[in-house]
Amino acid sequence: MFSKTIFKQTLKANFKLWFIFTIIMSVFSGVLIAVFDPKTLSSMSDMVKDTPLANMLGSTTFLGILSQTFYSVQGVILPLIFVIMTANSLIASQVDRGSMAYLLSTPIKRSTVVRTQAIYLVSSLIAMFTILSIVGVVSVQAFQNDIDFNILDLLILNLGLFLLMFATSSISFLFSCIFNLSKNSLAFGAGIPLAFFLFELMGKVDSSLEGFKYISLNTLFDTDAIINNGDYWIQFTLLGVIGIVLYAIGIRVFKGKDLPL
């Protein structure tokens, strides 16, 4: 069911990529928290008033700004790129290069291989967002300890972003399991998540394009509901269920499909 040897090899092969994206995300988060200034942001809000950018800026509270910047752009696109690259490399790229044939020539079962790769991808996201949460809390204590806000809301934002990436990674992993060629895996495993990101962003920039966000998985990560004590647990649950189901389908597909070995 799980191979420690394969997990260690996968961890070693992908550690540099994971480390780079985790550091970049943490730096972005820390810097945005450190430079937050209510007065400056209030002035910016007045400047973009009655323009499409006003829809993106939204609330000028501490968590409001974070939700409309980091948790809508940098914090989404950076792990999204990591997920796309990693999911493809774990299965489809290895089949494409022929290294999967070598791996499956060992006594290790195909089901064990694909489960181990799925476990690595999910655990790498857990580690990434755990570090991001720690950096966020430490940065708030170091730079914004005079701001009155609930630190739990910041942690819930990180949980919601993790669940979004968990569901998104399941899409990329599914197509990595379906296709034997990297170009096909990336066409769908990258194309669909990137389309979701752009659709949701378009809906925020222009109210006339709001309909696009309703066909985006990213809409389930409702930052406004989190910072305004709204209802978000149903969306969180849906993201978790989508991730579990698509990972299960991907594993099943890879176990049963013909491979060019």
Side-chain angles (χ1 to χ4, degrees), residues 4-237:
K4 290 183 179 180
T5 301
I6 294 176
F7 186 87
K8 289 178 180 178
Q9 290 174 346
T10 303
L11 176 62
K12 184 178 180 180
N14 293 277
F15 178 78
K16 185 180 292 186
L17 185 69
W18 173 87
F19 182 77
I20 290 172
F21 277 93
T22 301
I23 290 297
I24 294 174
M25 284 182 65
S26 298
V27 169
F28 263 117
S29 175
V31 169
L32 285 172
I33 291 172
V35 301
F36 175 78
D37 184 350
K39 294 180 180 179
T40 302
L41 291 171
S42 180
S43 299
M44 288 176 59
S45 181
D46 292 336
M47 290 174 60
V48 300
K49 187 178 180 181
D50 299 325
T51 70
L53 292 177
N55 295 327
M56 288 194 67
L57 187 59
S59 171
T60 54
T61 64
F62 175 61
L63 284 181
I65 290 299
L66 279 182
S67 69
Q68 296 301 320
T69 53
F70 182 78
Y71 290 99
S72 292
V73 185
Q74 301 97 331
V76 177
I77 195 64
L78 288 170
L80 179 58
I81 295 171
F82 167 77
V83 160
I84 290 169
M85 295 174 65
T86 305
N88 179 71
S89 71
L90 293 178
I91 302 293
S93 179
Q94 293 193 46
V95 175
D96 198 358
R97 297 196 317 266
S99 57
M100 184 63 73
Y102 171 77
L103 186 60
L104 294 178
S105 66
T106 65
I108 302 175
K109 294 181 180 180
R110 186 187 295 193
S111 59
T112 300
V113 172
V114 69
R115 286 196 193 100
T116 302
Q117 303 294 57
I119 290 171
Y120 167 76
L121 184 52
V122 175
S123 61
S124 67
L125 288 174
I126 292 173
M128 176 182 288
F129 284 99
T130 298
I131 292 173
L132 183 65
S133 297
I134 293 172
V135 169
V137 171
V138 171
S139 298
V140 168
Q141 296 299 323
F143 303 109
Q144 303 291 351
N145 57 4
D146 57 335
I147 292 179
D148 182 22
F149 85 105
N150 189 352
I151 197 90
L152 181 61
D153 289 339
L154 179 64
L155 296 177
I156 293 176
L157 281 170
N158 284 325
L159 174 61
L161 186 54
F162 162 74
L163 289 172
L164 174 61
M165 287 302 114
F166 172 64
T168 302
S169 69
S170 71
I171 297 173
S172 299
F173 188 79
L174 171 62
F175 287 110
S176 186
C177 290
I178 290 175
F179 295 108
N180 294 330
L181 297 177
S182 284
K183 62 179 182 180
N184 295 333
S185 168
L186 289 172
F188 291 92
I192 293 176
L194 287 173
F196 284 158
F197 171 74
L198 291 175
F199 288 159
E200 203 260 347
L201 197 61
M202 289 163 60
K204 287 185 175 181
V205 172
D206 191 338
S207 58
S208 66
L209 301 175
E210 189 176 5
F212 277 101
K213 73 179 185 179
Y214 296 110
I215 56 175
S216 171
L217 183 69
N218 295 45
T219 303
L220 293 175
F221 176 43
D222 190 349
T223 57
D224 288 338
I226 295 172
I227 64 176
N228 293 312
N229 298 315
D231 184 12
Y232 51 84
W233 288 109
I234 294 176
Q235 295 95 311
F236 279 17
T237 302

Side-chain angles (χ1 to χ4, degrees), residues 245-258:
V245 170
L246 293 186
Y247 267 109
I249 293 174
I251 291 170
R252 187 175 183 85
V253 168
F254 185 77
K255 286 168 58 179
K257 76 172 186 175
D258 293 329

